[in-house]
């Protein structure tokens, strides 16, 4: 699965808590990584901005619904058909715009912090190799 900008990805497997928010600035992810087919991606749109899409996917209710709609026995998970049965709040255009105006900066901040952490891990690894 090729990650794309302005998308949210989550693990389809029941009980899994793997989520990834990819902003327009996350070229390190879109240019250098591919994701397992065990992930489902959702592309943000004007009607469903990245901030709101992220809020839906990282919510506890989302995990509960994903697990309830999972199919299979050994490695239960959702598929495209059962995913479409999941419920999300229906908001007005004004509510969506207000939410995005309020929280889009936080999604960008999460992206920035993820990159800073990755950079610090690289520096740490280089220092450990140099001195140990």
């Amino acid at each position: 699965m090729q990650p794309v900008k302005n998308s949210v990805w989550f693990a389809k497997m029941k009980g899994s808590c793997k989520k990834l928010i990819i902003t327009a600035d996350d070229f390190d992810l879109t240019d250098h990584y591919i994701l397992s087919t065990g992930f489902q991606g959702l592309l943000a749109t004007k009607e469903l901005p990245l901030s709101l899409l992220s809020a839906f996917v990282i919510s506890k209710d989302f995990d509960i619904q994903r697990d309830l709609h999972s199919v299979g026995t050994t490695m239960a998970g959702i598929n495209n058909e059962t995913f479409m049965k999941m419920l999300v709040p229906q908001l007005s255009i004004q509510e969506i715009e207000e939410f995005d105006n309020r929280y889009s900066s936080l999604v960008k901040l999460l992206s920035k912090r993820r990159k800073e952490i990755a950079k610090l891990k690289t520096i740490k690894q280089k220092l450990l190799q140099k001195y140990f």
Side-chain angles (χ1 to χ4, degrees):
M1 306 294 281
Q2 182 66 49
V4 294
K5 66 180 184 174
N6 294 321
S7 62
V8 175
W9 296 78
F10 62 91
K12 296 189 281 186
M13 187 180 293
K14 182 177 182 178
S16 183
C17 190
K18 297 175 183 174
K19 298 166 185 182
L20 184 61
I21 301 167
I22 302 178
T23 67
D25 299 325
D26 289 325
F27 297 107
D28 58 324
L29 296 176
T30 58
D31 294 348
H32 298 95
Y33 291 93
I34 58 171
L35 301 174
S36 159
T37 56
F39 278 86
Q40 177 77 37
L42 301 170
L43 185 62
T45 64
K46 184 179 180 185
E47 296 80 23
L48 186 60
L50 187 61
S51 60
L52 185 58
L53 186 57
S54 300
F56 287 155
V57 171
I58 65 174
S59 72
K60 184 71 173 165
D61 186 55
F62 183 88
D63 291 336
I64 292 168
Q65 285 196 63
R66 181 208 51 216
D67 292 351
L68 288 173
H69 288 90
S70 291
V71 293
T73 53
T74 305
M75 295 180 69
I78 61 166
N79 56 32
N80 288 343
E81 183 180 324
T82 57
F83 175 73
M84 296 302 290
K85 295 178 182 176
M86 292 178 63
L87 303 174
V88 294
Q90 186 173 0
L91 304 175
S92 69
I93 293 171
Q94 182 181 356
E95 289 172 318
I96 292 171
E97 289 173 354
E98 288 174 6
F99 188 93
D100 192 45
N101 288 337
R102 189 170 194 177
Y103 296 109
S104 62
S105 62
L106 295 178
V107 172
K108 292 176 185 175
L109 183 61
L110 282 173
S111 172
K112 181 179 177 182
R113 295 293 184 252
R114 182 196 56 78
K115 289 185 253 185
E116 289 172 350
I117 289 169
K119 184 177 179 180
L120 289 171
K121 283 182 180 180
T122 301
I123 292 169
K124 175 185 172 184
Q125 191 61 33
K126 286 180 182 179
L127 288 172
L128 287 172
Q129 288 175 352
K130 181 177 181 178
Y131 294 109
F132 296 100

